[in-house]
Amino acid sequence: MRFRLLGPLEVVGPGGPALITAERQRIVLAVLLLEPNRIVPMDRLVDAVWGASPPPTARAQIQICVSMVRASMAKVGLPDVIQTRSPGYLAEVGDDELDLHAFERAASAGRAAEEAGRFDEAASAFETALGLWRGSSCFGGGITSTALQAPAARLDEQRLAVVEQWVDARLALGLHQRLVARLIDLVMQNPLRERLRAQLMVALSRSGRKAEALEVYRRGRRELIDELGIEPGEELRRLQESILSGRLDGAQPVSTPPASPSVPATPAAPEAAPAPAPAASFAGPPAVPRLLPGTIADFTGRDDLLARLEAALEEATETPYALRIVSITGRGGVGKSTLAVHLGHSLANRYPDGQMFAKLRGPSAQPILPTRILERFLRSLGVRGSAMPSSIEERAELFRNLVADRRMLIVLDDAIDEEQVRWLLPGSSNCPVLITSRSRLAGLEGTSSVQVDVFSTEQALQLLSRILGTERIHSELSSALHLIKLCGNLALALRIVAARLAARPHWPLSKMVARLRDERQRLDELTHGGVGVRAGLAMAYQGLPADAQRLFRRLSMLEAAEFSSWVAAPLLDVAAAEAEDTLEFLVDAQLVDVEVVRGSRPRYRLHDLVRVYSQECLAQYESTAERSAVLGRVLSTWLFLVEEAHRRAYGGDHTLIHGNAPRLALDRSVIDRELGDPLGWFEGERTCLITAVRQAAAAGLDELCWDLALTLVTLFEMYGYFDDWRTTHEIALAATQRNDNRRGQAAMLYSLGTLHMFQYRLDEARGRLGLAGELFRQVGDVHGEALALRNLAFVDRVQGRLDEAMAGYEKALAMLSEVNDPTAEAHVLSNIAQIHLDRGLVAEGKRTMTAGLAAVERSGNRRVRAQILCRLGEAHLQIDEVAEAERVFARALETVRSVGDPVGECYALRGLAVVRSRRGSHGAAYEMLEQAMVIASRAHEHLAIGRIQLSLGEVAADRGSHERAKEHLASALDIFGRMRATKWQNQTLRLLSDVRAASDGVAPDNAAAAYARASPG
C-alpha cells in the first residue's frame, strides 16, 4: 500500500516513506485521501485546517501546503499524485494503492462469504481486512482537525463492525472457546457496545460458563444505567433469558441481521384481528386481501433506501390521525415498483389485515380511473357486487370506512398525478400509503418523498453477479463495467441485459458490449421477454403536452453533457420564461435530470438512454431543415452570451475581432441572471462552449465557429487552458479553410500565433503571426493586421531585438489609433515603455506608461490596467523608489484579485515580494514568492515561473544562502533558455555569476546591487 489511512497517516513510494510531518500538510493530505480520485474543493480544505476562523491568506497557505506535499512525495517517486482540478484538488490513487480500499474490499468479500454460509472463508477475509489496521485511531501523528474527527470515528466504527462480523464467523465455526479472551479485551475497551457483549455471553455460555455469561450481562446493565441512564437493548435481554432457560446451546445458529448480535430473536405475538365491518356489505367473513405481486428473487443494492422508506412509513406524525404517505419517485426503469413491492413483502407481518396494490396506469400509458381501482379494492375487502356504490364519492367513503380500524399497507404504483391518488387514500394513520410515480407529487400534503436514482457501479455489479454468477462477472470485469456504463446504470436495462446473457451462457459479456455500442440499435438490444427500456420511455413521452415533446426531442441536439436552462428558449423559439417552465415540466416527468450546487446555477442533463430515445424522436418528427434552424438559433445565442460576458468582464470588445454571424439575444432578465459573474459563467460553461465550437464547425457555420472560438481566448489565457485554446482554434481553422473564409483563417492564425507566443514557442508564433498579418492585409482588415503586428513586436522584444520591436510597436500603435482600440493601444504603450526601461531610459519609460494608463482608463479594462501598473512598479524599483513601487504593486494586486486574474496575481505578488526584500524582510518576501509560484504553476505560466525563480534566487542571495540561490537561478536559467527569452537569460547569468563569486569569497557583492544593474522585465 502506498497510502495508509488505517492508523497513523503514511505515504510510501518506490524511494521509501515520504517525510510529511507538518500538521497542516497531513490534514490536507488526509482529506484528499479520504475522497480518492474525487475533487475536494478548496473551501473544504480550508475548513479542515482552520475551522470557522480561517486567516485571510488561508487559500494561499493551502496552495503552499499542497506544493510541499507534492514535493515530499516526488522525492520518493510519487510525483503526480495530487492534481489541481477546479475548484480544488484531487488525489489520484490506484485501486490497490490505498489501504482503505483494500479494507473495504476484504470486508465486502467476508460479508458475501458469510451470507453464503462459507464461514471459514468469511473469517479469513475479515482477518485480512483487520490486518490492514495499524492502530485503533485513524490519521494519528498529532492531527487535531475537528473536521477529520467524524471520518476517523466512522472508520473506527467500520473496523469494530468487521471485528463483530469476524467473531460471528468464528462462532459459527464452533471456535467459541478460542474467542473468550479476545472478546473480554474487546468488551473492556468498548463497554457500551452491546453486540460485543452479547457475543462474549454466547462464547462463555457455549463454553459451559453460564454464570460468567450472566455476570457479563449484569455488569453491562450497570454500566449502561450508570453511563447513559438506559436499560440494555432487547437483544441482550432476550439473550439473558435464553441462557437462564437453557435454550442457548452449541448447535444454535449465530447468523443475524447486520445490526443485531448473534442471537435468534423471539417473534412477537401477533396482534388481535380487528372487528369486521357490517355484515350486510360482505360475501362472507372479513377478507384479508394480499394483492401485492410477487417480489423478485435477485433483489439487491437498495438496503439504504429500504431502511429510509421503512422509517418514513413508521414515523409518527405530529397529528396522531394524520395520514402517512410516502412517495417513491424516479425515472422510468429505475426500479421504483420493484422496490415498493419488495418493501411491502418485507413489512407484511406489521400489517396483519393485508396489503392493497394497484397499478394506476394501463399498458397503453393511459391512467386507470380511480373508480375502477376502488371497485377492485372493495371487492377484495368482501363487498358484494350488489352492494357496490355507483359513484366515486360513495366508493371512496366506503373504502375509508372499511379500512378505518385495520392495519393495512396500501401500495399505489405508477401514479400520474395527485388527483388520481386522492380518491384512493384511507382516512386514518393506521394504513400507511406507499406511492410510486415518475412525477414529484408535491400537491399531496404531508407526503414524505424518497428519490430513487440509478444504481451505483458497485450496486450494478452486485445485481449482475446475483443473476449471472460472480465467477462469470469477475472473469470479464472490464466488459461488465462497460455494460453497466452502456446501460446508464439503469436497473431495468441491467436486468434485461442480464436476462439475455443468462439465457445465452455461451455468450461472452464482450459480445453484448459490442451489440450495445451502436446507439442506433441500443434500445432494440435492451428488450427481452416483452419488456424494454424504449417502451417505458415512450410511455413517458406520449404523456407529455406537445411543447414538452418538442423540447424533449430537441434537447438531444445539444452534444454537451449538461446545459443551463436558457437553452430551452432558442430550442423552442419562445420567451425564456415559457421555455424554462416547459423544461421544468420535463424535470418533473423524470425525463431530464437537474443538479443544484450551492452557489451555482442549476445544471440539466439527459440520462444516456433517455438521450438515445430523444434522438430517435428527433429523427422521426423533425425534418433536417427544422433541425438546422434550431441548432443555428442555439449557437447564435451562445455567441451572443459569450460576447456579452466578455464585454461585462473587460469593459468592451477591445482587442477582439468579430465576424458577421447572427446573434440571438435573450430576455434581459435572463442575461443578468446568467452573467452576474461573467468570468464565473465562462468557467462554468467552458465544456459546453468548446462543444458549441465543435458543433458549429460540423454544421458548416464557419463564420460563427471562428468568432465564438476567438471570443473565448481571454478565458483560456487567464486560466491557462492552453489545450482548449489549441483544440477550438484548430477546429475553427479547418472550418474556415473548407469554406475559403480568408478573414476567419487570418483570425485563427493570429490567435494560434498568440497561443505559441504565450507558450514561448516563439519561432512558431512568428510564422503564424506573419501569415495572419498578410491575410488581414489582403482582406483589408486594419484592426487584425495591427494586432498581429503588435504580437510580432512582442516576439522581437523577448528575443532581444529591441530596434525591430520598437518599429513594429510604433506601426501597430498608429493603426490601432485609427480603429479606436484603446485597450490594444495600452498594451502597445506598455511594451514600448518596457523597451525604454530595458535601455535604461527610466523617465521616458514612466512617461510612456502614464500614457498607457490613460488609454486603458478610456477602455475600462482592469486587467490590462493591472499589467501596466506592474510594469510601472518595476520602473520605480529600477530607480529605487521602493515606497512608490509598493503602492503601485498593491493597486495591481487588488485589481487582479477583483477580476479573478491568476496570471496577473502572480506578477503582482512577485513585485511586492521584491519590495519586501529591498526592505530587509527576506522571510516575508520568500513566502510571498512561494505563493506566487503556486499560482503560476497552476496557470502553466512558464515565464512567470522563471521570473519568480529569479526573484527567489535574489532573495536567497541577499540572505546569504548561496547554494539555495544557485538552485533557483539554475531553474530560472533553464526556463529562459528553453523559451529563448534572451533578456531574462542574460539577467540571470549576471546574477548567477555574482552569487558564485560571493560564495567563493572572491568579490563580495549582493543581489540587490546586481538587480539594480540588470533591467527588470
Side-chain angles (χ1 to χ4, degrees):
M1 298 296 156
R2 297 198 186 282
F3 307 97
R4 300 171 181 171
L5 284 172
L6 306 181
L9 177 64
E10 291 181 2
V11 175
V12 181
L19 190 63
I20 304 172
T21 57
E23 183 182 12
R24 289 178 185 173
Q25 295 175 25
R26 293 171 67 79
I27 292 172
V28 168
L29 180 58
V31 173
L32 293 174
L33 290 178
L34 280 169
E35 296 190 54
N37 304 310
R38 292 179 61 184
I39 297 171
V40 179
M42 172 70 81
D43 289 342
R44 196 184 306 166
L45 295 175
V46 170
D47 181 65
V49 174
W50 288 283
S53 305
T57 59
R59 296 174 73 86
Q61 292 190 50
I62 293 293
Q63 292 164 356
I64 293 171
C65 282
V66 171
S67 180
M68 296 300 102
V69 172
R70 282 172 171 160
S72 297
M73 290 198 289
K75 289 179 181 178
V76 297
L78 299 171
D80 302 314
V81 174
I82 300 180
Q83 304 288 327
T84 301
R85 295 284 189 275
S86 179
Y89 298 95
L90 171 149
E92 199 166 72
V93 176
D95 285 342
D96 296 320
E97 293 182 326
L98 180 63
D99 60 0
L100 177 56
H101 281 168
F103 169 77
E104 291 170 344
R105 284 196 300 271
S108 178
R111 286 189 289 271
E114 190 173 39
E115 289 174 4
R118 301 190 303 272
F119 297 109
D120 195 22
E121 181 184 332
S124 177
F126 290 139
E127 286 165 6
T128 299
L130 294 170
L132 293 165
W133 282 79
R134 295 162 292 112
S136 61
S137 297
C138 301
F139 320 133
I143 293 181
T144 59
S145 169
T146 55
L148 288 175
Q149 290 175 1
R154 186 168 60 250
L155 290 180
D156 269 340
E157 171 61 26
Q158 291 174 8
R159 180 185 62 84
L160 273 175
V162 172
V163 169
E164 292 166 342
Q165 290 162 344
W166 172 77
V167 172
D168 275 347
R170 301 270 287 179
L171 286 171
L173 293 169
L175 302 175
H176 37 269
Q177 290 182 336
R178 300 183 190 179
L179 285 168
V180 169
R182 178 70 186 276
L183 281 168
I184 289 172
D185 288 339
L186 286 167
V187 170
M188 290 179 67
Q189 294 165 17
N190 305 274
L192 302 180
R193 199 166 180 95
E194 294 191 41
R195 188 176 183 193
L196 286 173
R197 190 170 293 275
Q199 290 170 327
L200 176 56
M201 291 168 65
V202 171
L204 286 168
S205 179
R206 291 181 182 175
S207 300
R209 300 160 66 177
K210 294 184 178 181
E212 294 173 68
L214 293 171
E215 180 59 27
V216 169
Y217 173 83
R218 285 191 289 271
R219 283 200 301 267
R221 180 175 181 271
R222 283 197 300 270
E223 290 188 12
L224 285 167
I225 292 172
D226 292 343
E227 290 291 329
L228 304 177
I230 60 173
E231 288 283 341
E234 185 179 6
E235 302 292 347
L236 273 181
R237 295 198 304 272
R238 287 181 177 173
L239 180 56
Q240 182 209 26
E241 293 169 5
S242 296
I243 294 172
L244 287 169
S245 63
R247 293 197 307 271
L248 186 66
D249 56 39
Q252 188 171 349
V254 297
S255 57
T256 62
S260 305
S262 306
V263 183
T266 304
E271 297 182 21
S281 301
F282 293 88
V288 179
R290 306 288 186 186
L291 304 187
L292 280 176
T295 188
I296 56 176
D298 49 29
F299 182 88
T300 187
R302 298 297 195 189
D303 292 346
D304 290 346
L305 277 174
L306 284 170
R308 286 177 58 197
L309 288 165
E310 184 176 339
L313 283 172
E314 293 297 310
E315 187 177 44
T317 57
E318 292 183 7
T319 304
Y321 303 107
L323 295 181
R324 282 180 290 169
I325 305 173
V326 179
S327 70
I328 304 174
T329 61
R331 66 167 58 88
V334 81
K336 304 181 299 295
S337 300
T338 301
L339 182 64
V341 170
H342 186 85
L343 179 63
H345 281 290
S346 69
L347 299 179
N349 289 338
R350 300 188 189 181
Y351 301 101
D353 298 319
Q355 305 93 41
M356 294 291 189
F357 177 86
K359 291 191 72 68
L360 305 191
R361 199 190 303 249
S364 61
Q366 294 301 313
I368 298 177
L369 296 176
T371 185
R372 291 182 56 193
I373 295 170
L374 283 168
E375 181 180 358
R376 286 180 47 225
F377 280 1
L378 292 172
R379 286 184 182 277
S380 72
L381 290 168
V383 177
R384 300 174 185 273
S386 59
M388 187 69 62
S390 58
S391 72
I392 188 171
E393 291 86 355
E394 290 175 318
R395 290 183 180 185
E397 288 172 358
L398 180 56
F399 174 64
R400 290 195 296 271
N401 182 55
L402 289 177
V403 301
D405 296 320
R406 301 190 183 204
R407 280 183 55 79
M408 303 181 72
L409 177 66
I410 300 170
V411 181
L412 304 176
D413 186 42
D414 205 8
I416 295 175
D417 56 27
E418 295 89 341
E419 190 60 29
Q420 186 188 28
V421 167
R422 283 195 176 95
W423 295 105
L424 309 176
L425 298 178
S428 59
S429 62
N430 52 302
C431 293
V433 182
L434 187 62
I435 306 171
T436 74
S437 178
R438 302 179 196 194
S439 302
R440 295 177 174 87
L441 304 176
L444 287 178
E445 298 81 359
T447 300
S448 299
S449 182
V450 175
Q451 177 77 19
V452 181
D453 206 346
V454 296
F455 277 145
S456 67
T457 300
E458 182 182 359
Q459 291 170 330
L461 281 172
Q462 289 176 2
L463 176 63
L464 293 178
S465 298
R466 290 283 294 272
I467 300 174
L468 299 176
T470 302
E471 184 177 346
R472 189 175 180 187
I473 296 301
H474 284 186
S475 66
E476 286 191 79
L477 186 57
S478 177
S479 293
L481 292 172
H482 208 149
L483 274 180
I484 291 168
K485 184 176 181 181
L486 289 170
C487 290
N489 295 60
L490 193 69
L492 175 61
L494 288 164
R495 287 191 177 279
I496 291 171
V497 164
R500 294 189 65 189
L501 287 168
R504 297 168 178 81
H506 57 286
W507 274 20
L509 271 61
S510 56
K511 182 170 183 176
M512 183 59 74
V513 170
R515 296 171 74 101
L516 290 176
R517 274 203 180 103
D518 186 351
E519 283 193 350
R520 295 168 299 178
Q521 303 300 320
R522 190 174 302 169
L523 294 181
D524 293 326
E525 296 292 338
L526 293 176
T527 302
H528 183 72
V531 178
V533 174
R534 182 187 282 112
L537 292 171
M539 184 182 296
Y541 173 77
Q542 291 160 8
L544 298 173
D547 56 344
Q549 288 184 343
R550 190 178 306 112
L551 179 58
F552 174 73
R553 297 192 299 263
R554 293 176 178 179
L555 283 172
S556 63
M557 297 178 66
L558 305 172
E559 293 181 4
E562 57 181 32
F563 49 89
S564 295
S565 59
W566 64 262
V567 301
L571 284 173
L572 290 176
D573 198 19
V574 298
E578 178 184 347
E580 291 180 2
D581 285 346
T582 305
L583 178 62
E584 291 301 326
F585 192 93
L586 294 178
V587 172
D588 291 339
Q590 301 285 343
L591 288 170
V592 173
D593 298 332
V594 61
E595 180 180 3
V596 180
V597 179
R598 189 171 63 180
S600 302
R601 297 177 308 280
R603 305 293 295 176
Y604 299 81
R605 62 175 61 84
L606 291 176
H607 182 273
D608 291 346
L609 295 179
V610 175
R611 178 181 293 277
V612 172
Y613 182 70
S614 172
Q615 289 169 339
E616 288 184 1
C617 294
L618 183 72
Q620 182 177 357
Y621 295 107
E622 307 265 356
S623 68
T624 302
E626 286 174 324
R627 280 179 268 168
S628 297
V630 170
L631 181 61
R633 285 199 303 270
V634 174
L635 294 174
S636 296
T637 310
W638 268 123
L639 182 57
F640 168 81
L641 284 171
V642 168
E643 286 188 2
E644 181 65 22
H646 190 281
R647 289 189 196 101
R648 293 188 180 208
Y650 301 109
D653 284 334
H654 313 294
T655 73
L656 276 182
I657 308 159
H658 285 303
N660 300 316
R663 278 84 167 148
L664 184 62
L666 290 168
D667 299 343
R668 177 54 55 183
S669 60
V670 177
I671 299 169
D672 292 339
R673 179 194 70 198
E674 293 289 322
L675 303 181
D677 174 11
L679 287 176
W681 179 85
F682 261 130
E683 178 77 356
E685 300 287 345
R686 178 171 64 93
T687 304
C688 295
L689 290 165
I690 294 167
T691 303
V693 171
R694 187 177 288 110
Q695 284 198 262
L701 303 173
D702 55 292
E703 188 77 0
L704 191 153
C705 181
W706 78 255
D707 199 342
L708 184 58
L710 189 62
T711 311
L712 292 172
V713 164
T714 307
L715 169 71
F716 296 152
E717 174 199 339
M718 176 176 291
Y719 294 107
Y721 294 129
F722 295 143
D723 289 342
D724 294 341
W725 188 341
R726 180 182 300 104
T727 298
T728 54
H729 282 55
E730 287 176 350
I731 290 171
L733 178 60
T736 55
Q737 288 170 338
R738 283 195 300 270
N739 290 279
D740 195 28
N741 186 333
R742 298 172 70 201
R743 185 165 179 265
Q745 290 178 54
M748 293 299 91
L749 288 168
Y750 153 71
S751 189
L752 284 168
T754 305
L755 170 61
H756 294 322
M757 183 184 81
F758 273 108
Q759 295 181 309
Y760 284 84
R761 295 156 58 185
L762 299 180
D763 291 337
E764 294 175 61
R766 184 181 297 279
R768 294 281 180 119
L769 290 168
L771 183 55
E774 178 60 30
L775 282 173
F776 278 131
R777 190 159 37 253
Q778 290 176 11
V779 298
D781 189 329
V782 175
H783 192 196
E785 184 183 357
L787 293 175
L789 278 172
R790 175 195 64 169
N791 287 358
L792 277 169
F794 178 84
V795 173
D796 284 329
R797 184 173 78 77
V798 172
Q799 293 185 331
R801 292 186 290 272
L802 299 187
D803 290 339
E804 292 90 333
M806 181 64 83
Y809 278 133
E810 288 176 342
K811 184 175 181 182
L813 185 62
M815 297 170 74
L816 290 168
S817 299
E818 178 183 339
V819 297
N820 188 29
D821 186 344
T823 297
E825 286 182 59
H827 267 137
V828 171
L829 288 166
S830 172
N831 280 280
I832 290 174
Q834 190 61 59
I835 293 175
H836 290 317
L837 294 176
D838 293 346
R839 288 172 166 168
L841 305 173
V842 177
E844 185 64 26
K846 289 170 70 175
R847 278 196 298 273
T848 308
M849 260 184 281
T850 301
L853 281 172
V856 83
E857 294 297 345
R858 294 200 307 274
S859 73
N861 192 318
R862 294 183 292 165
R863 186 165 177 257
V864 177
R865 177 175 176 270
Q867 293 171 4
I868 297 175
L869 285 171
C870 283
R871 285 202 168 131
L872 185 57
E874 297 283 0
H876 287 305
L877 284 176
Q878 193 164 342
I879 57 175
D880 210 27
E881 295 177 349
V882 178
E884 229 6 71
E886 182 176 28
R887 183 181 64 80
V888 172
F889 281 126
R891 288 170 58 199
L893 183 62
E894 181 183 1
T895 300
V896 293
R897 284 178 171 170
S898 69
V899 300
D901 177 4
V903 177
E905 184 174 1
C906 68
Y907 278 107
L909 283 170
R910 175 195 164 277
L912 285 171
V914 174
V915 170
R916 301 286 188 277
S917 181
R918 290 285 189 92
R919 289 178 166 166
S921 299
H922 300 307
Y926 206 89
E927 183 177 345
M928 191 170 285
L929 287 168
E930 285 187 325
Q931 293 179 30
M933 177 68 76
V934 170
I935 297 169
S937 299
R938 188 174 56 193
H940 308 291
E941 183 66 18
H942 298 293
L943 178 62
I945 294 170
R947 296 191 62 193
I948 293 165
Q949 289 282 17
L950 173 58
S951 297
L952 284 166
E954 293 163 358
V955 174
D958 282 345
R959 300 171 74 176
S961 303
H962 296 123
E963 292 307 313
R964 179 66 65 85
K966 290 176 189 177
E967 291 176 9
H968 288 304
L969 295 174
S971 297
L973 197 59
D974 176 62
I975 292 169
F976 295 146
R978 283 188 278 112
M979 290 181 172
R980 295 180 61 191
T982 54
K983 182 187 71 170
W984 289 293
Q985 196 174 12
N986 292 335
Q987 181 179 340
T988 307
L989 283 169
R990 286 195 295 270
L991 182 55
L992 186 57
S993 176
D994 288 341
V995 170
R996 285 171 176 163
S999 66
D1000 295 337
V1002 176
D1005 197 357
N1006 60 45
Y1011 186 90
R1013 290 197 310 274
S1015 342

